[in-house]
Amino acid sequence: MSLIQSTMAPAGVSTEGNKRPSYSELAVATERPKNRAMVSKKARLQSFQKWSGKQEVKIEDLVSAGFYFTGHEDDDSTRCFACGGIVKDWEVTDDAMVEHARHFPSCFFVRQAVGQDFIDTVKALSETDISNSRVKLTKQSDCGLLTNDSQTKHPSDPAVQAVVDLGFDLDTVAKLALSLKTDSCTLTSDQLIDQLYDESTPSSSPDIKSLTSNSITHCTDSLEILQSQNMELRQISTCKICLDQPVAIVFLPCGHFVTCLECSYELRKCPVCRGIIQGTVRGYLQSRITERL
């Protein structure tokens, strides 16, 4: 792994004298991508058609980490679409996002994609020279907080919470949700309930015989309410541009929260109020079931 250069300028404003936090300390990004043509993952993926280092590191990982191929067939140089930093000589053991965070910790894409805690952890490991340690780094993904082994006992999904509130076992629902969830991060309580009531998992459902008619009626009414709430939450939490990924970016100064991470980089004006986007900050929509069963 070797580092060539970075065109990233330090983010934020001076804090000398007034001791106010800088934009960087507040996790506010005011920079724009260095290469707008490579903002989308599709464009970055297409740039790797003639990449010479295909056997060293997964192209999908490089693309997800913000890199695109610079076009030099004699090497494996990659550049970040956001900060313009160049990294080459990739090795099989390299993690693209870790290397991005290690070499360019000020990159606004890295800060918004994985969070400052992830960057600080990478920095600490680099300073202590623990390059061969297998450490679980928690990344802030569009689907919630996930470790690199993709396991979590409490997925932050309204569909999971709705089914758990009906009396199903949390661990069973969580494992099922992880197996059903797709890249688009869409999941419905209907899918979970249908799967839980399937003959292959009969022991995961509540004891139907012990339920009274009133209890069954109450559960049915509550399920309809939860399904309605789940649909409303999904509409609120879905990007209004691609209609696929969850919302992740708050536009400043208007404060509208309507696009995913990738779509936000393609916009100069807010799609809601048409105001000029002067800055962005990563946001998280935490759903909460207001009526428990």
Side-chain angles (χ1 to χ4, degrees):
M1 168 66 60
S2 64
L3 174 67
I4 296 182
Q5 66 179 11
S6 172
T7 57
M8 183 71 188
V13 296
S14 175
T15 59
E16 296 182 0
N18 54 23
K19 295 183 179 180
R20 290 182 296 179
S22 65
Y23 287 151
S24 179
E25 291 171 331
L26 293 174
V28 175
T30 57
E31 308 93 326
R32 301 301 299 172
K34 298 294 183 181
N35 189 342
R36 295 194 64 193
M38 291 295 168
V39 165
S40 69
K41 288 184 178 180
K42 182 179 180 180
R44 297 200 297 274
L45 186 61
Q46 291 177 345
S47 70
F48 281 91
Q49 292 181 354
K50 296 183 179 180
W51 190 50
S52 61
K54 292 181 179 180
Q55 303 301 322
E56 302 301 327
V57 64
K58 290 183 178 180
I59 293 176
E60 292 79 6
D61 293 341
L62 293 170
V63 170
S64 296
F67 291 110
Y68 63 93
F69 180 45
T70 58
H72 302 292
E73 296 186 12
D74 56 337
D75 61 26
D76 61 354
S77 297
T78 57
R79 183 190 292 269
C80 171
F81 80 94
C83 67
I86 298 178
V87 178
K88 61 178 295 186
D89 297 335
W90 290 95
E91 300 177 359
V92 178
T93 57
D94 288 335
D95 182 294
M97 189 62 81
V98 170
E99 296 303 324
H100 200 165
R102 181 162 70 94
H103 292 303
F104 308 111
S106 297
C107 176
F108 69 91
F109 168 75
V110 175
R111 296 201 311 268
Q112 292 183 336
V114 296
Q116 189 61 45
D117 289 343
F118 180 86
I119 297 174
D120 292 341
T121 301
V122 171
K123 180 180 179 181
L125 291 176
S126 299
E127 291 176 349
T128 54
D129 195 26
I130 311 179
S131 58
N132 295 324
S133 297
R134 299 290 294 176
V135 180
K136 288 185 178 181
L137 297 171
T138 301
K139 299 181 181 181
Q140 298 173 359
S141 75
D142 292 335
C143 299
L145 295 179
L146 299 176
T147 56
N148 62 348
D149 59 1
S150 300
Q151 298 296 320
T152 175
K153 292 188 66 176
H154 305 283
S156 55
D157 193 297
V160 173
Q161 185 61 52
V163 175
V164 170
D165 285 344
L166 288 174
F168 290 92
D169 178 67
L170 173 60
D171 290 335
T172 302
V173 177
K175 291 178 182 178
L176 180 59
L178 287 172
S179 65
L180 294 177
K181 186 168 284 189
T182 63
D183 293 338
S184 60
C185 302
T186 57
L187 190 67
T188 66
S189 57
D190 288 340
Q191 289 176 313
L192 290 172
I193 292 173
D194 289 342
Q195 189 69 25
L196 288 168
Y197 275 112
D198 188 78
E199 292 181 357
S200 61
T201 57
S203 60
S204 61
S205 61
D207 187 2
I208 302 298
K209 294 181 180 179
S210 64
L211 296 177
T212 64
S213 59
N214 290 335
S215 298
I216 295 176
T217 302
H218 176 64
C219 286
T220 302
D221 294 341
S222 299
L223 179 58
E224 292 178 354
I225 294 174
L226 289 171
Q227 289 175 339
S228 176
Q229 291 177 340
N230 188 44
M231 182 62 67
E232 182 180 355
L233 286 171
R234 182 167 293 105
Q235 292 174 350
I236 294 174
S237 62
T238 302
C239 174
K240 303 305 181 292
I241 304 299
C242 65
L243 301 177
D244 183 24
Q245 298 295 322
V247 292
I249 294 296
V250 179
F251 295 134
L252 300 176
C254 66
H256 287 120
F257 186 41
V258 292
T259 70
C260 65
L261 186 67
E262 186 173 338
C263 289
S264 68
Y265 298 135
E266 302 186 32
L267 301 175
R268 292 186 178 275
K269 294 183 179 180
C270 172
V272 178
C273 65
R274 308 304 299 170
I276 300 296
I277 300 173
Q278 299 182 22
T280 59
V281 64
R282 183 67 185 264
Y284 298 92
L285 184 63
Q286 182 176 358
S287 62
R288 180 169 60 90
I289 303 300
T290 57
E291 182 177 337
R292 300 189 63 85
L293 303 179

